Amino acid sequence: MSRSIVRQSKFRHVFGQTVKAEQGYDDIRVSKVTWDSSFCAINPKFLAVIVESSGGGAFLVLPISKTGRVDKNYPLVIGHSGPVLDIDWCPHDDNILASCSEDCTAMVWQIPDHSLTRPISDPVVVLEGHSKRVGIVTWHPTARNILLTAGSDNLVIIWNVGTGEALISMDDHPDLIYSISWNRNGSLFCTTCKDRRLRVCDPRKREVVATNFEEPIALLELDTSNGVLLPYYDADANMVYLCGKGDSSIRYFEITEEPPYVHYLNTFSSKEPQRGMGFMPKRGVDVTKCEIARLFKLLDKKCEPITMTVPRKSDLFQDDLYPDTAGPEPAMEAEEWLDGRDEDPILVSMRGGYMPPKSRELKVAKKNVLESRPTTRRSMSTLDTNSLPPQLLERLLEEIQNLKATVLSQEKRICDLENKLSQYTNGTD
């Protein structure tokens, strides 16, 4: 009689569990904007959720420990003039968050350690470079202050938020970009696009390095739902969590280097469908309970944390479950990455748990971007102003300022009109 062989894996019995009701977050008006982002961002200090707001875009930021009912008058972050479409916490500073919006801008915010006592409306820096709504924002995994944005203008822009300047711009996508993900050391990023192509891009070479892949090494049919899948990859455990928007389940798999490569583990199911999902970085899980992942499920008016746990009887630290993980320190500066340097994340031990550091101020030293633009015109600084009559000089300077104001006004008007056109063509109005 033959005996089936069961694959050995320490994650074979991982189970998901929703926390108790009082440990969730209630009365949150989750955004109803038609966009396929996760609407949620998590780190060991804060929960951030894009919410409904009149008169522009807004998101809610709560200390991770502030569970229970959220007061309807709790202060919001309210700097955008259009709906917020995506948010992302900086991996190197738990108090820094980036957002992007239908108003064609991305913004970077400094969040105080305590609960907000008044609305935050002044970002640390505003990044303006897209001509249409900006739908994706994601930080570089290892370089300080490097941020990527992608918009409905099919443009990818990489910024140094420490100076407020655009470093790299790529226009290799012929259609709307759906999602972007960096590799582990940030040397490449991968995109999916409306043209149904997956691209691997080298931003510093400003080129697409791979598009036509061979047959997939593994192919799994999940279901017939047309909801957008939100994948979350745990590099420490080599596990993938698949969360479908509009679905009520989370499927999780283990990835190995041997065939068949992808191993189904289990499915966590609940009653209500999810509007979005957040994924806690590994340094934020509870090692005393053998928790290997924590997801934050967004419903219409609340957020439910879901813990993924390996059943173990011992109270000791489980070394095999918690290899050293990516810590909050950047491995290099923005200028080093731009010059071609690559570094893996700086790792920290999970033994004894993780204590988030206190807030550090993000300082922005803006450069004069006009200085780096090639031009054939002589700047005012190179003119011999002593040879001009004072009244003429004053009149010239005034006219220049008026022209600059007019140009800025027209650019804003064009952006607003393109947003309205995009809304009509997408059927949102």
Side-chain angles (χ1 to χ4, degrees), residues 34-67:
T34 53
W35 192 253
D36 291 329
S37 75
S38 61
F39 293 160
C40 182
I42 313 293
N43 70 23
K45 279 188 177 181
F46 298 105
L47 161 71
V49 179
I50 302 174
V51 295
E52 287 288 288
S53 175
S54 58
F59 54 91
L60 171 74
V61 177
L62 294 171
I64 206 76
S65 59
K66 191 175 177 62
T67 55

Short mmCIF file of all heavy atoms in Angstrom, two decimals, residues 34-67:
data_model
loop_
_atom_site.label_atom_id
_atom_site.label_comp_id
_atom_site.label_asym_id
_atom_site.label_seq_id
_atom_site.Cartn_x
_atom_site.Cartn_y
_atom_site.Cartn_z
N THR A 34 -13.26 55.61 -7.03
CA THR A 34 -13.07 54.46 -7.90
C THR A 34 -11.60 54.38 -8.33
O THR A 34 -11.20 54.92 -9.37
CB THR A 34 -13.97 54.54 -9.15
OG1 THR A 34 -13.75 55.81 -9.79
CG2 THR A 34 -15.42 54.42 -8.76
N TRP A 35 -10.80 53.72 -7.52
CA TRP A 35 -9.38 53.55 -7.81
C TRP A 35 -8.92 52.25 -7.16
O TRP A 35 -9.42 51.89 -6.09
CB TRP A 35 -8.57 54.73 -7.29
CG TRP A 35 -7.17 54.77 -7.80
CD1 TRP A 35 -6.03 54.49 -7.11
CD2 TRP A 35 -6.75 55.10 -9.12
NE1 TRP A 35 -4.92 54.63 -7.91
CE2 TRP A 35 -5.34 55.00 -9.16
CE3 TRP A 35 -7.43 55.47 -10.28
CZ2 TRP A 35 -4.60 55.26 -10.31
CZ3 TRP A 35 -6.70 55.73 -11.43
CH2 TRP A 35 -5.30 55.62 -11.43
N ASP A 36 -7.99 51.57 -7.78
CA ASP A 36 -7.62 50.23 -7.33
C ASP A 36 -6.40 50.20 -6.43
O ASP A 36 -5.53 49.33 -6.56
CB ASP A 36 -7.40 49.31 -8.54
CG ASP A 36 -8.69 49.01 -9.27
OD1 ASP A 36 -9.74 48.98 -8.61
OD2 ASP A 36 -8.66 48.82 -10.50
N SER A 37 -6.30 51.14 -5.51
CA SER A 37 -5.22 51.08 -4.52
C SER A 37 -5.76 50.40 -3.26
O SER A 37 -6.94 50.08 -3.15
CB SER A 37 -4.69 52.48 -4.20
OG SER A 37 -5.59 53.18 -3.38
N SER A 38 -4.88 50.21 -2.28
CA SER A 38 -5.28 49.51 -1.07
C SER A 38 -6.01 50.40 -0.08
O SER A 38 -6.62 49.91 0.87
CB SER A 38 -4.04 48.90 -0.39
OG SER A 38 -3.14 49.93 -0.03
N PHE A 39 -5.93 51.76 -0.27
CA PHE A 39 -6.60 52.74 0.60
C PHE A 39 -6.10 52.72 2.04
O PHE A 39 -6.69 53.34 2.92
CB PHE A 39 -8.12 52.54 0.62
CG PHE A 39 -8.80 52.83 -0.68
CD1 PHE A 39 -10.06 52.33 -0.95
CD2 PHE A 39 -8.20 53.60 -1.65
CE1 PHE A 39 -10.70 52.59 -2.15
CE2 PHE A 39 -8.83 53.88 -2.86
CZ PHE A 39 -10.08 53.37 -3.11
N CYS A 40 -5.01 52.00 2.30
CA CYS A 40 -4.59 51.79 3.68
C CYS A 40 -3.08 51.61 3.73
O CYS A 40 -2.50 51.00 2.82
CB CYS A 40 -5.30 50.54 4.22
SG CYS A 40 -4.94 50.15 5.94
N ALA A 41 -2.43 52.15 4.75
CA ALA A 41 -0.99 51.98 4.93
C ALA A 41 -0.70 51.81 6.42
O ALA A 41 -1.28 52.53 7.25
CB ALA A 41 -0.22 53.17 4.35
N ILE A 42 0.21 50.89 6.73
CA ILE A 42 0.47 50.51 8.12
C ILE A 42 1.97 50.55 8.40
O ILE A 42 2.78 50.21 7.53
CB ILE A 42 -0.02 49.07 8.41
CG1 ILE A 42 -1.42 48.84 7.87
CG2 ILE A 42 0.06 48.75 9.90
CD1 ILE A 42 -2.48 49.62 8.57
N ASN A 43 2.35 50.95 9.61
CA ASN A 43 3.69 50.71 10.11
C ASN A 43 3.60 50.45 11.61
O ASN A 43 2.49 50.49 12.18
CB ASN A 43 4.65 51.86 9.74
CG ASN A 43 4.37 53.16 10.47
OD1 ASN A 43 3.78 53.17 11.55
ND2 ASN A 43 4.83 54.26 9.90
N PRO A 44 4.69 50.16 12.30
CA PRO A 44 4.58 49.82 13.72
C PRO A 44 4.02 50.93 14.61
O PRO A 44 3.62 50.66 15.75
CB PRO A 44 6.03 49.50 14.11
CG PRO A 44 6.65 49.01 12.85
CD PRO A 44 6.04 49.85 11.78
N LYS A 45 3.95 52.17 14.10
CA LYS A 45 3.43 53.27 14.90
C LYS A 45 2.00 53.67 14.53
O LYS A 45 1.21 54.03 15.41
CB LYS A 45 4.31 54.52 14.71
CG LYS A 45 5.57 54.56 15.53
CD LYS A 45 6.24 55.93 15.39
CE LYS A 45 7.47 56.05 16.25
NZ LYS A 45 8.09 57.39 16.12
N PHE A 46 1.67 53.64 13.23
CA PHE A 46 0.43 54.27 12.78
C PHE A 46 -0.36 53.42 11.80
O PHE A 46 0.18 52.61 11.05
CB PHE A 46 0.75 55.60 12.06
CG PHE A 46 1.41 56.63 12.92
CD1 PHE A 46 2.76 56.91 12.77
CD2 PHE A 46 0.69 57.36 13.86
CE1 PHE A 46 3.39 57.87 13.53
CE2 PHE A 46 1.30 58.33 14.63
CZ PHE A 46 2.66 58.59 14.48
N LEU A 47 -1.68 53.69 11.81
CA LEU A 47 -2.61 53.22 10.78
C LEU A 47 -3.07 54.45 10.01
O LEU A 47 -3.52 55.43 10.60
CB LEU A 47 -3.81 52.53 11.43
CG LEU A 47 -5.07 52.37 10.58
CD1 LEU A 47 -4.84 51.34 9.48
CD2 LEU A 47 -6.27 51.97 11.44
N ALA A 48 -2.96 54.41 8.68
CA ALA A 48 -3.43 55.50 7.83
C ALA A 48 -4.46 54.95 6.85
O ALA A 48 -4.24 53.92 6.22
CB ALA A 48 -2.27 56.16 7.08
N VAL A 49 -5.60 55.66 6.72
CA VAL A 49 -6.68 55.21 5.85
C VAL A 49 -7.20 56.40 5.04
O VAL A 49 -7.46 57.47 5.61
CB VAL A 49 -7.86 54.61 6.68
CG1 VAL A 49 -8.99 54.16 5.75
CG2 VAL A 49 -7.38 53.45 7.53
N ILE A 50 -7.34 56.21 3.73
CA ILE A 50 -7.94 57.25 2.88
C ILE A 50 -9.44 57.27 3.16
O ILE A 50 -10.11 56.23 3.13
CB ILE A 50 -7.68 56.96 1.40
CG1 ILE A 50 -6.18 56.89 1.13
CG2 ILE A 50 -8.32 58.02 0.52
CD1 ILE A 50 -5.82 56.45 -0.29
N VAL A 51 -9.97 58.46 3.44
CA VAL A 51 -11.37 58.57 3.88
C VAL A 51 -12.14 59.54 2.99
O VAL A 51 -11.56 60.33 2.23
CB VAL A 51 -11.46 59.02 5.35
CG1 VAL A 51 -10.88 57.97 6.28
CG2 VAL A 51 -10.77 60.37 5.56
N GLU A 52 -13.46 59.48 3.13
CA GLU A 52 -14.34 60.42 2.44
C GLU A 52 -14.18 61.80 3.06
O GLU A 52 -14.06 61.95 4.28
CB GLU A 52 -15.79 59.98 2.56
CG GLU A 52 -16.17 58.78 1.71
CD GLU A 52 -16.23 59.14 0.24
OE1 GLU A 52 -17.16 59.84 -0.17
OE2 GLU A 52 -15.33 58.73 -0.50
N SER A 53 -14.16 62.83 2.20
CA SER A 53 -13.99 64.19 2.71
C SER A 53 -14.58 65.17 1.72
O SER A 53 -14.44 65.00 0.50
CB SER A 53 -12.51 64.49 2.94
OG SER A 53 -12.32 65.83 3.32
N SER A 54 -15.23 66.19 2.23
CA SER A 54 -15.77 67.23 1.36
C SER A 54 -14.72 68.31 1.14
O SER A 54 -13.90 68.59 2.01
CB SER A 54 -17.02 67.86 1.99
OG SER A 54 -16.73 68.40 3.26
N GLY A 55 -14.71 68.89 -0.05
CA GLY A 55 -13.80 69.99 -0.33
C GLY A 55 -12.37 69.59 -0.57
O GLY A 55 -11.44 70.33 -0.27
N GLY A 56 -12.15 68.39 -1.11
CA GLY A 56 -10.78 67.95 -1.38
C GLY A 56 -10.54 66.55 -0.89
O GLY A 56 -11.47 65.82 -0.55
N GLY A 57 -9.27 66.16 -0.84
CA GLY A 57 -8.91 64.82 -0.41
C GLY A 57 -8.37 64.81 1.00
O GLY A 57 -7.78 65.79 1.46
N ALA A 58 -8.54 63.70 1.70
CA ALA A 58 -8.08 63.61 3.08
C ALA A 58 -7.79 62.16 3.43
O ALA A 58 -8.28 61.23 2.80
CB ALA A 58 -9.12 64.18 4.05
N PHE A 59 -6.97 61.98 4.46
CA PHE A 59 -6.78 60.65 5.03
C PHE A 59 -6.65 60.77 6.54
O PHE A 59 -6.32 61.82 7.09
CB PHE A 59 -5.59 59.92 4.41
CG PHE A 59 -4.28 60.66 4.45
CD1 PHE A 59 -3.41 60.50 5.50
CD2 PHE A 59 -3.92 61.50 3.41
CE1 PHE A 59 -2.20 61.16 5.53
CE2 PHE A 59 -2.71 62.18 3.43
CZ PHE A 59 -1.84 62.01 4.48
N LEU A 60 -6.96 59.66 7.19
CA LEU A 60 -6.97 59.57 8.64
C LEU A 60 -5.69 58.87 9.10
O LEU A 60 -5.28 57.88 8.51
CB LEU A 60 -8.20 58.76 9.08
CG LEU A 60 -8.32 58.35 10.55
CD1 LEU A 60 -8.69 59.55 11.40
CD2 LEU A 60 -9.37 57.25 10.70
N VAL A 61 -5.06 59.42 10.13
CA VAL A 61 -3.87 58.78 10.72
C VAL A 61 -4.12 58.57 12.21
O VAL A 61 -4.38 59.53 12.94
CB VAL A 61 -2.60 59.64 10.52
CG1 VAL A 61 -1.41 58.96 11.20
CG2 VAL A 61 -2.31 59.84 9.03
N LEU A 62 -4.06 57.30 12.62
CA LEU A 62 -4.27 56.95 14.02
C LEU A 62 -3.04 56.25 14.59
O LEU A 62 -2.42 55.44 13.89
CB LEU A 62 -5.46 55.98 14.16
CG LEU A 62 -6.86 56.49 13.80
CD1 LEU A 62 -7.83 55.32 13.80
CD2 LEU A 62 -7.32 57.55 14.78
N PRO A 63 -2.66 56.53 15.84
CA PRO A 63 -1.66 55.68 16.49
C PRO A 63 -2.16 54.24 16.49
O PRO A 63 -3.35 53.99 16.68
CB PRO A 63 -1.57 56.25 17.91
CG PRO A 63 -2.02 57.67 17.78
CD PRO A 63 -3.08 57.66 16.71
N ILE A 64 -1.28 53.29 16.25
CA ILE A 64 -1.68 51.90 16.10
C ILE A 64 -2.39 51.39 17.35
O ILE A 64 -3.22 50.46 17.30
CB ILE A 64 -0.46 51.02 15.75
CG1 ILE A 64 -0.89 49.77 14.99
CG2 ILE A 64 0.35 50.69 16.97
CD1 ILE A 64 -1.24 49.99 13.56
N SER A 65 -2.10 52.02 18.50
CA SER A 65 -2.71 51.58 19.77
C SER A 65 -4.06 52.22 20.02
O SER A 65 -4.75 51.84 20.97
CB SER A 65 -1.76 51.91 20.93
OG SER A 65 -1.52 53.32 20.98
N LYS A 66 -4.47 53.19 19.19
CA LYS A 66 -5.74 53.90 19.42
C LYS A 66 -6.90 53.13 18.79
O LYS A 66 -7.45 53.50 17.75
CB LYS A 66 -5.67 55.32 18.87
CG LYS A 66 -6.84 56.20 19.30
CD LYS A 66 -6.65 57.63 18.82
CE LYS A 66 -7.84 58.52 19.17
NZ LYS A 66 -8.03 58.62 20.64
N THR A 67 -7.26 52.02 19.40
CA THR A 67 -8.31 51.16 18.88
C THR A 67 -9.67 51.62 19.39
O THR A 67 -9.78 52.50 20.24
CB THR A 67 -8.07 49.70 19.27
OG1 THR A 67 -7.93 49.63 20.71
CG2 THR A 67 -6.79 49.18 18.63
#
